[in-house]
Amino acid sequence: MNFQRLQSLWSLAGRPSCPPLLVMASRMQMATLTCLSLLLLWSQMPGAQGQKFQFGPCQAKGVVPQKLWEAFWAVKDTMQAQDNITSVRLLRQEVLQNVSAAESCYLVHTLLEFYLKTVFKNYHNRTVEVRTLKSFSTLANNFVLIMSQLQPSQENEMFAIRDSAHRRFLLFRRAFKQLDMEAALTKALGEVDVLLTWMQKFYKF
């Protein structure tokens, strides 16, 4: 992509309009790289610096929770109406309740990575069918932006904290894998509001 094309993308609505992340493999890496570069540039603009997620020692700037909520609300009714297994919850209290600040960095990084690599990736074809691709792309793009800025510590003294956060994530993943894949994807997407509500506790102005 040449510089003039980059400038053209940058000028749209004050924030880059990125191609969907979840595309066929031959173009996915380049599209994702371009999108992420533009989003990271945008996050460094004046006005974006005062808004950030602070997950313990980790932080992510340039993300507006309202945009995430708007994207979810656009698909909420569709996703939750398709969830017929009301007795199961993936993001239950044992996963998200009383998470320490130190744990939060590891946990959110792992959850967002799972949503990107498993949930959004496997649900991509359905988003085209039900015409919700734009909303899911907005969520995915912002999840990438947040995750790319988080740098969980790998120091030995942080092992107990990493282990605690990992155990929480395993509870979520175990519940996900106990369901049929289609049902699990639907439920995970229908619970994005639970994830966003928890994440917003760590949002600083």
Side-chain angles (χ1 to χ4, degrees):
M1 177 177 289
N2 61 37
F3 181 70
Q4 287 159 338
R5 175 60 176 157
L6 186 62
Q7 283 185 313
S8 175
L9 283 172
W10 180 252
S11 66
L12 294 176
R15 177 174 182 152
S17 177
C18 300
L21 289 177
L22 309 174
V23 295
M24 297 306 291
S26 62
R27 290 191 285 180
M28 183 173 66
Q29 290 183 341
M30 183 168 289
T32 302
L33 206 54
T34 300
C35 175
L36 182 55
S37 298
L38 290 169
L39 284 170
L40 290 175
L41 266 174
W42 182 87
S43 71
Q44 296 171 12
M45 291 180 65
Q49 297 298 316
Q51 304 173 340
K52 64 184 178 183
F53 284 101
Q54 186 73 48
F55 298 104
C58 308
Q59 64 178 227
K61 297 179 180 179
V63 182
V64 182
Q66 182 66 19
K67 297 295 183 182
L68 291 166
W69 279 107
E70 288 173 357
F72 174 73
W73 288 330
V75 299
K76 175 183 176 180
D77 291 343
T78 299
M79 299 312 309
Q80 295 186 349
Q82 294 174 1
D83 182 6
N84 299 316
I85 309 176
T86 58
S87 60
V88 175
R89 182 169 176 175
L90 305 180
L91 291 167
R92 56 189 190 274
Q93 288 186 348
E94 294 89 339
V95 178
L96 297 179
Q97 191 174 53
N98 299 323
V99 178
S100 69
E103 277 184 287
S104 66
C105 182
Y106 298 96
L107 183 58
V108 72
H109 188 278
T110 309
L111 286 172
L112 294 185
E113 185 176 40
F114 185 87
Y115 265 87
L116 287 166
K117 292 185 176 180
T118 301
V119 181
F120 291 139
K121 179 179 178 181
N122 286 293
Y123 202 80
H124 177 246
N125 291 338
R126 289 288 305 279
T127 65
V128 177
E129 293 173 15
V130 296
R131 299 182 180 180
T132 55
L133 183 58
K134 181 179 179 181
S135 295
F136 282 111
S137 292
T138 297
L139 289 170
N141 287 340
N142 279 276
F143 281 8
V144 167
L145 176 58
I146 295 170
M147 198 177 75
S148 70
Q149 297 181 65
L150 303 180
Q151 297 180 340
S153 174
Q154 299 302 316
E155 297 174 5
N156 291 335
E157 59 265 29
M158 301 294 288
F159 176 79
I161 294 172
R162 293 201 311 271
D163 187 56
S164 177
H166 186 61
R167 287 198 301 270
R168 290 176 181 273
F169 170 71
L170 289 180
L171 291 174
F172 165 81
R173 191 177 68 178
R174 189 176 301 123
F176 181 92
K177 289 190 171 184
Q178 287 175 348
L179 299 175
D180 168 81
M181 178 58 81
E182 191 70 20
L185 293 172
T186 299
K187 182 167 288 292
L189 290 167
E191 290 187 6
V192 166
D193 57 341
V194 178
L195 180 60
L196 294 181
T197 298
W198 175 74
M199 288 171 59
Q200 197 156 323
K201 294 179 181 179
F202 299 90
Y203 195 67
K204 309 295 182 182
F205 292 93

